[in-house]
């Protein structure tokens, strides 16, 4: 899925720095004696990874909660060659306060969202789960501190080449730019890039399960995290514990259709935001909703033609604003902050308030890298301040492309470009071009896996809970229904009749029903629902 970012964007601090070296490690693991299982099967022997012990300690870094612990997990770089290079994943947990029955692992979405900062700054909503569980999250491979991928930074970075208005009007020039982006991403990301898809992440999730000492995986995944959870259930059906998917992803639609659906959903959310904003005298778009919607379009086009300077090097363009809007619209709780940031931009040309939204985090200044900092030594995770500023969009593209088997030829792209532009512009005059650029970014990259589209269906696993929200701007409710039908009788659907991306953080009813399942194994009956503002459902 495209740009389904974390449900509650955390306080991410990224560095304006070059890409740090890939962390390839092997410390602390027993030597591999064989690459195959003892039964002579074709699966590589992963016992040395499953048997590792996680060393938990207080998390380092400014503002980290005192009760949060951090650790690291070693996984194979290439699961086909587990005796070769390895890499580390950054972990964090809140410890169980009651009688511990195991762990519940969280994935906040993306793809490209780092779990450690999300758990650190948004983890208090999961504290009820600590009655029986350690609550654990992680930075997936290629994300955050876990060997972060990048396409280069600054005005000449690969991702910036598609931001100007001519990117979709010159088909051959566009294809040349896309090839350059793919080459830049390969150059700056290193050997983790070919092994960054969701299938590999699901295998990492099983290594984490084993290292946590759990027989079965208890899991709560949001948005893209539902794709990861579904792939895990298909790959390891006999190791599924209590599994919840909130804001359910599609497993079958091609990226082009996903992009149209996403643009359409975000436009509806933007229209709702403008309608809300224009009731306030301080709204920078006036007090008429129709005029306000037109003003947003004009602002995006104006910034694309004439970006405003920032304190962080690169200018702020209209497509940067589109990215910021997409983040701010995920939750009504963010709307007042988004309104103030937009007023600051419109009234004084100051983009500092919206910069944090555009980067996938909150509107906080981004610190500069410490001068003279040494590259991380082999065996260490990348320091937080060394995470490339573009890691979130670079990882999002890499993972989506790795999960998608469709690769149109140059002739097909040229033939379809006019039609696609019309479809995306119709879906959203604000988000259409941004979404189409995301879809096109897979051109020039290796073909992705068929596993998700062909194999993630008709699961033979314990029942799992799927939560779909009727007014979700990123993952339409129909995807919940379609995915539930595809997964089969294992899937139980909870219909959340509210708004916003995912339900756990915004609906007390959804929150309670999810907790009841994770803590007590109590599944709501099929067809159950939660009202938009229901407390007792």
């Amino acid at each position: 899925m495209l740009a389904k970012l974390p449900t509650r964007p955390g306080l991410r601090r990224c560095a304006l720095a070059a890409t740090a070296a890939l962390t390839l490690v092997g410390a602390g693991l027993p030597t591999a004696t064989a690459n195959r299982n003892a039964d002579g099967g074709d699966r590589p022997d992963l016992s040395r990874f499953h048997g590792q012990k996680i060393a938990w300690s207080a998390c380092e870094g400014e503002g980290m909660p005192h009760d949060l612990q951090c650790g690291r997990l070693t996984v194979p770089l290439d699961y086909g060659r587990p005796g070769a290079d390895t890499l580390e994943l950054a972990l964090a947990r809140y410890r169980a306060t009651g009688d511990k029955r195991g762990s519940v692992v969280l994935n906040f979405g993306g793809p490209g969202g780092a779990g450690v900062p999300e758990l650190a700054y948004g983890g208090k909503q999961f504290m009820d789960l600590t009655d029986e569980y350690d609550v654990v999250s992680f930075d997936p491979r290629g994300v955050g501190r876990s060997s972060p991928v990048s396409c280069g930074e600054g005005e000449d970075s690969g991702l910036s080449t598609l931001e100007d208005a001519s990117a979709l009007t010159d088909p051959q020039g566009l294809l040349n730019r896309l090839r350059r982006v793919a080459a830049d991403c390969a150059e700056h990301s290193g050997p983790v890039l070919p092994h960054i898809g969701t299938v590999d992440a699901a295998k990492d999730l099983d290594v984490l399960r084993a290292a946590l000492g759990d027989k079965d995986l208890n899991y709560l995944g949001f948005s893209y995290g539902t794709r990861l959870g579904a792939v895990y259930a298909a790959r390891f059906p006999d190791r599924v514990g209590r599994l919840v998917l909130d804001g359910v992803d599609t497993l079958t639609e091609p990226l082009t259709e996903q992009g149209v659906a996403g643009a359409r959903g975000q436009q509806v959310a933007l229209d709702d935001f403008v309608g809300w904003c224009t009731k306030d005298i301080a709204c920078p778009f006036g007090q008429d909703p129709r005029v306000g919607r037109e003003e947003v379009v004009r602002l995006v086009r104006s910034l694309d033609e004439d970006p405003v300077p920032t304190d962080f090097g690169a200018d702020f363009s209209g497509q940067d604003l589109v990215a910021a809007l997409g983040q701010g619209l995920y939750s009504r709780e963010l709307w007042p902050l988004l309104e103030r940031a937009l007023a600051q931009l419109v009234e004084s040309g100051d983009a500092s308030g919206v910069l944090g939204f555009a980067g996938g985090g909150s509107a906080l200044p981004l610190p500069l890298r410490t001068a003279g900092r040494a590259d991380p030594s082999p065996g260490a995770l990348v320091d937080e301040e060394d995470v490339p500023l573009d890691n979130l969009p670079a990882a999002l593209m890499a993972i989506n492309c790795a999960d998608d088997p469709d690769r149109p030829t140059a002739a097909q792209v040229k033939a379809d470009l006019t039609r696609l532009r019309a479809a995306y512009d119709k879906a959203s005059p604000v988000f259409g071009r941004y979404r189409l650029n995301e879809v096109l970014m897979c051109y020039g990259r290796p073909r992705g896996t068929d596993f998700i589209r062909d194999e993630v269906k008709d699961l033979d696993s314990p029942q799992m809970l799927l939560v779909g929200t009727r007014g979700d701007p990123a993952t339409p409710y129909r995807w919940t229904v379609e995915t539930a039908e595809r997964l089969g009788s294992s899937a139980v659907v909870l219909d959340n009749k509210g708004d916003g991306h995912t339900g756990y953080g915004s609906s007390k009813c959804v929150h309670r029903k999810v907790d009841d399942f994770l803590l007590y194994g109590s599944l709501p009956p099929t067809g159950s629902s939660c009202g938009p503002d229901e407390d007792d459902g």
Side-chain angles (χ1 to χ4, degrees), residues 262-281:
R264 186 181 298 116
Q266 286 185 303
Q267 185 64 47
V268 170
L270 176 61
D271 291 347
D272 289 345
F273 166 76
V274 172
W276 169 88
C277 178
T278 53
K279 295 176 182 178
D280 182 0
I281 192 66

Side-chain angles (χ1 to χ4, degrees), residues 1-364:
M1 173 56 194
L2 302 172
K4 298 190 295 290
L5 298 171
T7 60
R8 302 174 68 88
L11 310 186
R12 301 183 68 242
R13 291 180 172 84
C14 301
L16 299 174
T19 307
L22 173 71
T23 304
L24 297 175
V25 301
L29 292 177
T31 302
T33 57
N35 284 338
R36 301 296 176 190
N37 285 333
D39 62 5
D42 290 333
R43 285 190 180 182
D45 181 6
L46 301 177
S47 58
R48 70 188 186 115
F49 297 98
H50 287 177
Q52 65 186 293
K53 302 298 181 184
I54 301 170
W56 297 101
S57 61
C59 294
E60 299 179 357
E62 181 181 354
M64 280 291 191
H66 72 278
D67 54 343
L68 185 72
Q69 294 183 321
C70 287
R72 62 188 66 195
L73 180 77
T74 305
V75 296
L77 174 65
D78 179 354
Y79 276 90
R81 300 172 60 241
D85 292 328
T86 60
L87 56 88
E88 287 185 340
L89 308 182
L91 311 176
R93 75 171 179 180
Y94 286 104
R95 297 190 66 183
T97 57
D99 294 332
K100 177 181 173 181
R101 68 180 305 271
S103 304
V104 60
V105 178
L106 309 180
N107 181 282
F108 294 95
V116 172
E118 285 291 335
L119 186 61
Y121 301 112
K124 295 305 179 183
Q125 65 176 311
F126 304 100
M127 288 301 100
D128 287 346
L129 296 176
T130 60
D131 288 347
E132 293 190 9
Y133 292 110
D134 287 348
V135 176
V136 179
S137 193
F138 64 107
D139 292 359
R141 57 174 58 211
V143 174
R145 297 181 61 210
S146 303
S147 304
V149 296
S150 173
C151 296
E153 297 178 12
E155 295 183 2
D156 295 326
S157 70
L159 294 177
S160 69
T161 63
L162 299 180
E163 288 189 356
D164 64 87
S166 67
L168 296 177
T169 59
D170 174 12
Q172 187 56 53
L174 173 63
L175 294 178
N176 293 339
R177 294 180 183 205
L178 291 169
R179 292 190 189 98
R180 175 188 166 187
V181 171
D184 286 347
C185 296
E187 176 186 353
H188 288 89
S189 297
V192 73
L193 188 62
H195 307 285
I196 195 180
T198 300
V199 173
D200 279 309
K203 296 174 183 178
D204 292 342
L205 199 54
D206 196 56
V207 173
L208 176 58
R209 171 203 60 78
L212 291 170
D214 293 341
K215 179 179 179 294
D216 300 316
L217 176 71
N218 302 303
Y219 177 83
L220 173 54
F222 299 99
S223 195
Y224 161 76
T226 68
R227 186 199 309 173
L228 176 57
V231 171
Y232 181 89
R235 185 69 178 76
F236 305 102
D238 56 337
R239 301 173 192 170
V240 172
R242 297 171 184 174
L243 191 146
V244 181
L245 310 180
D246 184 2
V248 180
D249 201 352
T250 178
L251 300 174
T252 56
E253 285 193 0
L255 287 178
T256 51
E257 296 303 320
Q258 292 182 42
V260 169
R264 186 181 298 116
Q266 286 185 303
Q267 185 64 47
V268 170
L270 176 61
D271 291 347
D272 289 345
F273 166 76
V274 172
W276 169 88
C277 178
T278 53
K279 295 176 182 178
D280 182 0
I281 192 66
C283 181
F285 306 120
Q287 275 64 62
D288 184 317
R290 181 184 63 81
V291 173
R293 292 192 292 271
E294 294 172 351
E295 287 298 317
V296 174
V297 175
R298 276 193 285 268
L299 178 61
V300 170
R301 291 175 179 170
S302 173
L303 288 171
D304 275 333
E305 294 175 359
D306 187 19
V308 299
T310 71
D311 293 334
F312 307 106
D315 292 342
F316 188 83
S317 71
Q319 296 310 296
D320 292 326
L321 176 59
V322 173
L325 290 170
Q327 286 295 288
L329 294 173
Y330 272 158
S331 170
R332 286 180 178 265
E333 294 177 5
L334 297 173
W335 286 11
L337 180 62
L338 179 62
E339 180 189 16
R340 291 194 294 273
L342 289 169
Q344 190 178 9
L345 176 65
V346 171
E347 294 165 8
S348 62
D350 182 358
S352 61
V354 288
L355 268 172
F357 285 111
S362 68
L364 292 179

